[in-house]
Every structure is written in C-alpha cells, then in structure tokens.
Amino acid sequence: MRHKNCYQRLHNLWLNKQHEPFVWGKHDCLVLAILAIEAITNRRYPFCKAHTAYDSAKSACRLLAKQSLEQHASNALKPFFPTSTNEHNLQSGDIALIKSSYTKGRSALAVLDLCSCGFVLPAFPSGIMRIARKNVTIIKSWSIN
C-alpha cells in the first residue's frame, strides 16, 4: 500500500540522488528502483541484498549473462503486480523496464516521475536523469501499491 506521503518521499529521494555518483550495486537502475519502492510504500524489502550482489560493470555483466535484466527485475519485483506495457496504466512511482536511445538501446529499470511525463533513472557518471515518455519503449512494468 502506498504511504500517505509517498510523493513527497519520492521527491526527497530524487533530491538525495541528484549528485550521487553512479556505482554498480549502490546507485544503478535496480537499486534506484528498489529505493523508489521503499519510498512509495515506506517498507523495507528483504530482496534488496540478494538482487544487488554485484559491484562492477564486469560482475553485473556476469550476472546478466546468467539471467536477463527482465528476468532479474521480475524476480526482484515479485511482490508487485506486473502491468501491461500500456503507459496509461502507470502512475507516479511505478517501475518500468525500458529501452531508449539514452540507454543506448539497452534495457534499464526506470521509475515513473512525479509528474508522470517521464521516467527517472541513474545517470552516468553521477546523479539522475529524466527521459520523456515519448522517448522510451516500455518492455514491462510493475504497479507499486
């Protein structure tokens, strides 16, 4: 269930992450999605450590060689409801697996921004970036309730 102040909590998360350096397993797309879920629900989830057991691009690639990002995200996000790829079903704070020219055609987890006009994901070398909805292809999404 969404916390009564979930949107303020999500806004605070964006403020806290706007200058944080990109670090695999600490500030990357999966970690940011997990932190957004915790901000929205005000609950800690035990899957966090198990699903962020990598600390470099090399170890992340090894993990993704065994299991795609979509499979990995689906396992990590099992407590939540998968939704259709129809963007009209999404609300602020929901999680989506996206592809975009900004992600160089690779898939990445992103969080629907507060105004629902775009997605937020970690930026390299630091901070967060926003990508307009019109510039992404949604592969899969999860409703965070």
Side-chain angles (χ1 to χ4, degrees), residues 81-86 89-90 94-95 139-144:
F81 302 106
T83 62
S84 72
T85 56
N86 182 345
N89 295 335
L90 299 175
D94 285 348
I95 309 296
I139 300 167
K140 188 172 186 175
S141 60
W142 293 267
S143 179
I144 308 304

Side-chain angles (χ1 to χ4, degrees), residues 73-104:
S74 292
N75 288 337
L77 299 171
K78 273 184 184 176
F80 305 100
F81 302 106
T83 62
S84 72
T85 56
N86 182 345
E87 66 182 62
H88 300 293
N89 295 335
L90 299 175
Q91 59 180 330
S92 296
D94 285 348
I95 309 296
L97 185 65
I98 64 166
K99 280 191 179 181
S100 166
S101 62
Y102 296 101
T103 62
K104 298 180 178 150

Side-chain angles (χ1 to χ4, degrees), residues 1 4 16 56 62 65 73-74 85 107 114 134:
M1 185 165 165
K4 65 180 180 178
N16 290 336
S56 67
R62 269 197 306 265
S74 292
T85 56
S107 56
L114 291 165
K134 66 181 180 180

Side-chain angles (χ1 to χ4, degrees), residues 17-86:
K17 296 296 181 180
Q18 66 184 346
H19 299 294
E20 187 167 329
F22 183 96
V23 177
W24 290 103
K26 296 201 185 327
H27 180 57
D28 62 23
C29 67
L30 179 58
V31 174
L32 188 65
I34 290 168
L35 291 173
I37 291 167
E38 290 179 350
I40 292 290
T41 63
N42 196 33
R43 292 180 56 200
R44 305 249 333 126
Y45 288 92
F47 59 78
C48 296
K49 296 284 185 228
H51 292 283
T52 57
Y54 53 91
D55 59 3
S56 67
K58 189 174 183 178
S59 59
C61 286
R62 269 197 306 265
L63 178 67
L64 294 177
K66 296 176 188 173
Q67 187 178 55
S68 73
L69 181 58
E70 182 174 355
Q71 293 168 321
H72 195 68
S74 292
N75 288 337
L77 299 171
K78 273 184 184 176
F80 305 100
F81 302 106
T83 62
S84 72
T85 56
N86 182 345

